[in-house]
Amino acid sequence: MIVMIIGSMVIISIVTLVFLLSKIKPSPNCILYENYVLIRKSPYSDALSNYEIIKEEDGLRFRTKEGYSLFILKVNSKENQEVKLIGLASYGARNVEFNRYICNLVDQINTKTNTN
């Protein structure tokens, strides 16, 4: 009897876990050339960003207010419109977080642009 109860609880737990995992939405990839250009050219980027954005010849460096570089958006190829995220903090472990940050920054810039 106890084995049946424990077995039922395990099955319910597995079904619940599968259901919850199916609801998780993956983060979209926002490391795109169009977003790079938007951040680079928008007059709102610096004001909306939590980080200092340093415009380099072939990339954008995102730095904390204390001067610590977190990540770089680097253009690998303008012809192919290829942009690469180079995470400088935690050996790339935070790249998902940086991608989400870029998604949010692009959304904020688009919202600000559309309201003005």
Side-chain angles (χ1 to χ4, degrees), residues 42-58:
S42 174
Y44 307 115
S45 296
D46 291 325
L48 294 172
S49 179
N50 296 333
Y51 306 118
E52 180 182 5
I53 302 173
I54 307 208
K55 295 174 178 147
E56 299 175 343
E57 184 177 331
D58 61 348

Side-chain angles (χ1 to χ4, degrees), residues 35-75:
N35 292 342
Y36 167 83
V37 171
L38 177 68
I39 294 169
R40 186 171 192 92
K41 293 187 176 181
S42 174
Y44 307 115
S45 296
D46 291 325
L48 294 172
S49 179
N50 296 333
Y51 306 118
E52 180 182 5
I53 302 173
I54 307 208
K55 295 174 178 147
E56 299 175 343
E57 184 177 331
D58 61 348
L60 298 171
R61 180 179 297 266
F62 290 78
R63 215 164 58 173
T64 64
K65 304 300 181 196
E66 294 79 30
Y68 179 71
S69 292
L70 293 174
F71 63 97
I72 298 170
L73 291 182
K74 183 177 171 112
V75 176

Side-chain angles (χ1 to χ4, degrees), residues 4 9 13 24 32 42 52 55 110 113:
M4 289 175 50
M9 291 173 60
S13 297
I24 296 174
L32 305 171
S42 174
E52 180 182 5
K55 295 174 178 147
N110 286 330
T113 302

